[in-house]
Amino acid sequence: MANDGSDSWLGLAGRVCVVTGAGSGIGEGVARELALLGAYVAVLDRDEKSSGSVAASIRGAGGQAVAVVADVADESAVAAAAQLVANELGPCQVLVNNAALVSGSTGALMTADLGLWNRMLGVNLTGALICTRAFAAQMVAMGHGGSIVNVSSICGHMPRPLGGAYSVSKAGLMMMTRMLSLELAEHRIRCNSVSPAWVRTPASEAIYSDPEIGGKRRQLVPVGRISDPVDLANAVAFLASDRAGYVNGQDILVDGGLTQTLLNMVPKPSRPMTPDKP
Ligand SMILES: NC(=O)c1ccc[n+]([C@@H]2O[C@H](COP(=O)([O-])OP(=O)(O)OC[C@H]3O[C@@H](n4cnc5c(N)ncnc54)[C@H](O)[C@@H]3O)[C@@H](O)[C@H]2O)c1
């Protein structure tokens, strides 16, 4: 995992990057990829064991990483985490807001338990704002600009059936991304998001280990496969880097073309239609 110079195009070597929810799945994949590119990575997660083991594994492979334990929805815990990152690695230059509650859907909006609703919005949306305030403050103080990448979802673009607060939180995250892209531009801090569709992670393993459901989903994706965390990590690394220096306030759907397939479902006549007369 030691930096082998392959980062020269992205130029992320030595950058201080904070990845939330980095103890598992996509966040872990992003943390590993950024470390591979030579970045100094803060592996932030509420789960002490998983953030510790991911950070240790990155260091064991020759990368630079520290474990940071915090619940992103807890303002004082995030403030302490920001201080720890500054002390251990230096001021944050790249923030990836990835932590989210992905399961335990709150269900139908008309009957959703408001405690679950508030907790999901508190982590997925307010948590990203809390982390942005804490870590963007370090970017502003340094005066060298920075990049924030929020991990949204295909469910922020279209309603997840009975998805309750989840789709709402992800749509809100994309609007927050666009608003911050304006607010922080004077500090040369860019803010963008990525929207995964179907990614094989511990959170989704039950779906993709089921051969029938996993197989049917695979057939629906034009590129013919379910994505891996590294597919997201590549898009995040680009947005984090100066190569995306003119990309601000955007969302990249990393979905293998899934969202382009709606018209495949439209019934068509078996015989071709009569061509237009010239
Ligand atoms: N897996 C998919 O198919 C998929 C699809 C679209 C979007 N996403 C998004 O990608 C991101 C990661 O998803 P994943 O599948 O890797 O999930 P995951 O459950 O495997 O990992 C999420 C990590 O976030 C941590 N976390 C949760 N709440 C936290 C909190 N309050 N504070 C700090 N850490 C917290 C968890 O401990 C865990 O390590 C989420 O934002 C999710 O909405 C995932």
Side-chain angles (χ1 to χ4, degrees):
M1 187 159 301
N3 177 17
D4 58 3
S6 59
D7 64 312
S8 54
W9 193 76
L10 290 171
L12 289 169
R15 295 258 168 114
V16 176
C17 302
V18 176
V19 184
T20 73
S24 169
I26 294 173
E28 176 180 351
V30 170
R32 288 185 185 281
E33 186 62 26
L34 293 174
L36 200 59
L37 293 165
Y40 296 173
V41 182
V43 179
L44 190 154
D45 205 286
R46 66 175 173 176
D47 185 316
E48 186 172 3
K49 202 169 154 211
S50 59
S51 66
S53 77
V54 170
S57 154
I58 289 174
R59 285 194 302 272
Q64 300 277 347
V66 292
V68 183
V69 181
D71 181 330
V72 296
D74 179 339
E75 215 174 345
S76 57
V78 171
Q83 193 56 56
L84 189 140
V85 170
N87 294 345
E88 298 273 325
L89 299 176
C92 173
Q93 295 165 289
V94 170
L95 169 66
V96 183
N97 281 311
N98 164 79
L101 296 178
V102 294
S103 56
S105 169
T106 51
L109 293 177
M110 293 300 286
T111 52
D113 177 284
L114 288 184
L116 292 176
W117 168 273
N118 286 333
R119 175 67 183 151
M120 197 171 253
L121 290 178
V123 173
N124 299 12
L125 185 56
T126 314
L129 179 62
I130 289 171
C131 289
T132 299
R133 286 182 180 178
F135 290 104
Q138 297 181 354
M139 299 178 196
V140 171
M142 277 295 284
H144 297 151
S147 174
I148 298 166
V149 185
N150 293 327
V151 179
S152 179
S153 169
I154 188 175
C155 299
H157 289 263
M158 53 196 63
R160 175 154 105 181
L162 299 179
Y166 186 72
S167 276
V168 175
S169 71
K170 294 300 187 178
L173 186 61
M174 283 190 285
M175 181 50 76
M176 196 168 86
T177 303
R178 293 165 65 189
M179 292 176 74
L180 287 166
S181 74
L182 296 179
E183 283 189 30
L184 296 173
E186 65 173 304
H187 302 290
R188 291 187 295 122
I189 299 168
R190 295 176 296 104
C191 192
N192 295 287
S193 60
V194 293
S195 285
W198 294 336
V199 195
R200 198 159 183 157
T201 70
S204 60
E205 189 51 32
I207 298 170
Y208 300 113
S209 56
D210 179 320
E212 199 190 331
I213 297 176
K216 279 185 181 157
R217 285 200 179 197
R218 215 163 283 120
Q219 280 172 12
L220 289 174
V221 184
V223 301
R225 65 179 176 86
I226 303 303
S227 65
D228 290 310
V230 73
D231 293 306
L232 280 306
N234 287 330
V236 170
F238 168 68
L239 290 173
S241 79
D242 294 346
R243 290 286 171 176
Y246 209 66
V247 184
N248 193 23
Q250 300 301 309
D251 180 72
I252 300 181
L253 261 161
V254 184
D255 71 347
L258 179 65
T259 48
Q260 306 308 315
T261 62
L262 180 65
L263 297 185
N264 285 348
M265 296 175 209
V266 176
K268 295 174 202 78
S270 50
R271 269 183 285 164
M273 288 191 292
T274 319
D276 287 338
K277 291 202 176 88

